[in-house]
Amino acid sequence: MAQNSPQQNMASLRPPVIVIMGHIDHGKSTLLDYIRKSNIVEREAGGITQHVAAYEVKHAAADGTERRITFLDTPGHAAFSSIRERGGRIADIAVLVVSAEDGVKPQTLEALEVIKDEKLPFIVAINKIDKPAADIIRTKTSLAENGIYVEGFGGSVSCVQISAKTGEGVPDLLDMMLLTADLEDFRGDPSLPASGYVLESNLDPKKGLSATLIIKNGTLKGGQFVAAGSATAPVRIMEDFQGKPLKEATFSSPVRIIGWDKLPAVGEEFKVFETKNDALEFAAAFAEQSPTSNEPLPDPESGVTVIPVIVKGDTVGSLEAIQKELAKLSTERVAVRIVQSGIGTLSENDLRNAEGIKNTVIVSFNAKIDATARAYALRQGLEIHEFNIIYKLTEWMEDIVAERTPKVLTDVLAGEAKVLKIFSKTKDRQVVGCRVESGSLKNGATVKVMRRDAEIGEGRIRELQHNKNKTSEVTEGMEFGALVEFSIDLAPADRLQAFETVEK
């Protein structure tokens, strides 16, 4: 039997970090809600998880020992795909939640791609087995059709049937998580300085800039200094996921550090230092790499209509999702551009910036608006649009884009007729017999004359007759007589094409 290396002997078993993934409304948050006996679903606007959140629970393993598990809850809505990817990078194991009613859906496949890209071991949780429309066999078939082969159905992926609402099967799922963790043998060394990832960052109105970190190795202690990218913070105020103060935390724990000099980039790896100078030196090396979320305006000569947007959000994750969704709305004629963005309360200064850019849209997403900003907006006639659900914001912006898209006059084919017979010609006026092949032709319409697929000129209909009666319009299938003003002699088989000018 192979012996463990000295380094492995020094390392301790590390609690697994589990990411819960899957399609919107398949029960991810309800599952976590049941596990930790709280109610995140009702607190989230619209019942949709809009941030990645981390929670730590304890579960009695098969041998009776109590073990910790850290959970990440990721949003299912399409707008939050980058947040789901971040959760996948930070996690050790994924649980792919699939509804027994619906089977595989678009965000199920997005989550699967993240799992594959990150090479995460994963478990399938077939949820909603308590529902009347639940069909386990159909769900497993749907999984297999999309390349997910569970145990007993042609593959080796662990599968647990659960009801997140009633709790049926949830203990089995927790056991499977710990079993998978044991097989993967996750380890960490508590004697090392802590390292891990920034999960979320935001501005606490009372305490200042804060960030939630997931420790993947080592120990974090009060008095140390944390650096993530170009941002640094002293470890003076450290809280667990419930907001309780901590003096020390070790691997797999989610912790909240308050007091950053700037918001750390979400998804950034963090490191811990014993002195402030060491942390600042590390951060300085990353200063030039800090990305900006604001986009340049198009060249005024391009002819593109710009919709400038100023947005304040509650978290970096929210801003990422908003930026991604608004970028999709730009067209050849309209450019949606975020000219200013930030975390925290919308202030009077934000509104003053809006005044300097014509037709700016001001958006607050889950962000507070201070009283002076509201008063200033009222005085200046500025409108602040408030949202707490991402797709409501997107739908509203779609209407703004449609409203501000410049109208273009364009010719549209209204109808086509074939010349059957030439009756007479006087100077540039000709009387012809025709049949409408498609659409309709109106008296007074300008027509293009086509001969053997080539345009030979342009004329005008001066009179229409059907069954020897004058008419204002002829439609598909009708034979008619027409007085056409045209300088070139018409011939049988020529085609008259009528166009209408419309706004698009």
Side-chain angles (χ1 to χ4, degrees):
M1 179 183 292
Q3 293 186 348
N4 293 335
S5 67
Q7 185 176 1
Q8 189 176 25
N9 287 331
M10 290 176 61
S12 305
L13 281 174
R14 176 171 64 78
V17 178
I18 311 286
V19 62
I20 307 294
M21 308 183 83
H23 191 74
I24 186 171
D25 198 35
H26 276 197
K28 302 179 302 301
S29 294
T30 307
L31 171 59
L32 281 171
D33 181 39
Y34 183 87
I35 291 171
R36 67 184 185 274
K37 305 298 183 185
S38 63
N39 201 334
I40 192 69
V41 174
E42 290 183 4
R43 289 209 303 269
E44 289 281 4
I48 301 169
T49 306
Q50 303 193 97
H51 309 112
V52 176
Y55 313 93
E56 207 170 39
V57 302
K58 293 180 180 179
H59 177 65
D63 60 3
T65 59
E66 196 173 63
R67 295 174 60 180
R68 288 190 297 125
I69 306 174
T70 296
F71 287 97
L72 307 180
D73 182 14
T74 67
H77 191 272
F80 295 92
S81 60
S82 62
I83 302 180
R84 284 198 299 279
E85 291 167 8
R86 181 163 66 247
R89 287 198 300 271
I90 296 171
D92 300 312
I93 299 169
V95 174
L96 185 61
V97 178
V98 183
S99 167
E101 293 180 301
D102 301 334
V104 174
K105 290 290 183 180
Q107 273 96 54
T108 315
L109 297 176
E110 280 187 23
L112 181 63
E113 285 303 309
V114 173
I115 290 168
K116 287 180 177 177
D117 290 345
E118 300 302 323
K119 297 180 174 57
L120 285 175
F122 72 103
I123 303 161
V124 171
I126 298 179
N127 190 26
K128 302 190 179 184
I129 60 172
D130 56 304
K131 298 286 187 178
D135 190 327
I136 305 299
I137 299 301
R138 185 179 63 197
T139 303
K140 290 184 177 181
T141 301
S142 175
L143 288 163
E145 288 171 349
N146 288 278
I148 308 170
Y149 302 99
V150 300
E151 289 176 342
F153 221 80
S156 58
V157 177
S158 299
C159 178
V160 182
Q161 300 170 27
I162 67 167
S163 167
K165 184 177 181 181
T166 68
E168 181 182 353
V170 173
D172 296 333
L173 178 60
L174 294 171
D175 288 341
M176 184 59 69
M177 294 175 192
L178 292 176
L179 175 60
T180 304
D182 289 342
L183 292 173
E184 296 293 328
D185 196 31
F186 301 120
R187 292 182 176 270
D189 187 346
S191 67
L192 295 175
S195 60
Y197 297 91
V198 178
L199 188 60
E200 189 57 277
S201 58
N202 70 333
L203 173 62
D204 186 305
K206 296 180 180 179
K207 298 180 180 179
L209 299 178
S210 71
T212 300
L213 313 178
I214 292 288
I215 302 172
K216 294 304 291 283
N217 197 18
T219 299
L220 182 62
K221 301 176 183 178
Q224 294 178 322
F225 294 84
V226 182
S230 61
T232 64
V235 185
R236 283 199 296 263
I237 305 176
M238 179 166 56
E239 301 172 345
D240 68 8
F241 72 95
Q242 294 176 315
K244 296 177 181 178
L246 293 171
K247 293 183 178 179
E248 184 176 295
T250 188
F251 33 73
S252 300
S253 290
V255 295
R256 185 183 186 213
I257 302 294
I258 299 169
W260 295 80
D261 58 356
K262 64 173 72 172
L263 279 173
V266 174
E268 188 70 73
E269 186 174 2
F270 76 83
K271 294 185 181 300
V272 171
F273 301 89
E274 293 300 325
T275 69
K276 182 178 180 179
N277 286 340
D278 287 343
L280 291 173
E281 185 178 333
F282 176 87
F286 284 86
E288 295 182 2
Q289 300 176 18
S290 299
T292 176
S293 61
N294 299 335
E295 304 169 79
L297 297 176
D299 187 331
E301 302 300 319
S302 67
V304 175
T305 296
V306 177
I307 302 178
V309 180
I310 290 177
V311 57
K312 291 301 276 288
D314 55 342
T315 68
V316 172
S318 294
L319 282 185
E320 284 181 355
I322 291 168
Q323 288 161 1
K324 182 173 181 179
E325 289 302 290
L326 295 191
K328 297 177 185 177
L329 301 181
S330 295
T331 67
E332 290 181 356
R333 283 181 265 166
V334 175
V336 179
R337 289 290 184 266
I338 295 178
V339 295
Q340 180 181 315
S341 63
I343 304 300
T345 302
L346 184 70
S347 67
E348 181 180 337
N349 189 54
D350 294 319
L351 299 186
R352 289 184 183 277
N353 291 337
E355 279 194 299
I357 307 173
K358 190 177 179 181
N359 297 324
T360 301
V361 174
I362 306 166
V363 172
S364 165
F365 187 83
N366 270 334
K368 293 183 179 179
I369 303 167
D370 67 32
T372 57
R374 287 194 186 276
Y376 185 83
L378 188 62
R379 290 196 307 271
Q380 302 300 321
L382 298 173
E383 192 171 357
I384 302 169
H385 305 276
E386 299 178 65
F387 298 91
N388 58 11
I389 300 176
I390 189 87
Y391 65 82
K392 293 290 186 184
L393 166 59
T394 305
E395 288 172 356
W396 177 78
M397 277 301 303
E398 285 173 352
D399 292 338
I400 296 295
V401 170
E403 181 183 303
R404 296 196 187 180
T405 298
K407 306 303 179 189
V408 176
L409 296 178
T410 184
D411 289 335
V412 176
L413 181 63
E416 184 176 66
K418 183 179 181 181
V419 177
L420 303 178
K421 190 174 182 180
I422 310 300
F423 291 110
S424 65
K425 181 180 186 303
T426 305
K427 292 185 179 180
D428 60 352
R429 295 194 171 202
Q430 304 171 57
V431 178
V432 295
C434 307
R435 181 176 61 245
V436 183
E437 301 286 302
S438 64
S440 65
L441 289 83
K442 295 180 179 179
N443 190 23
T446 299
V447 292
K448 292 180 181 178
V449 181
M450 307 296 294
R451 180 174 293 168
R452 300 187 188 90
D453 296 324
E455 182 181 340
I456 62 171
E458 205 171 81
R460 183 177 295 275
I461 297 174
R462 291 301 182 185
E463 188 178 313
L464 287 174
Q465 287 190 6
H466 176 60
N467 291 334
K468 298 184 179 180
N469 296 317
K470 288 185 179 181
T471 183
S472 61
E473 184 177 12
V474 287
T475 57
E476 187 172 339
M478 293 174 60
E479 292 191 0
F480 65 96
L483 174 61
V484 181
E485 191 174 73
F486 190 57
S487 59
I488 301 173
D489 289 349
L490 292 170
D494 285 350
R495 298 190 313 281
L496 309 181
Q497 293 183 341
F499 287 84
E500 291 182 350
T501 301
V502 296
E503 275 191 354
K504 280 192 173 182

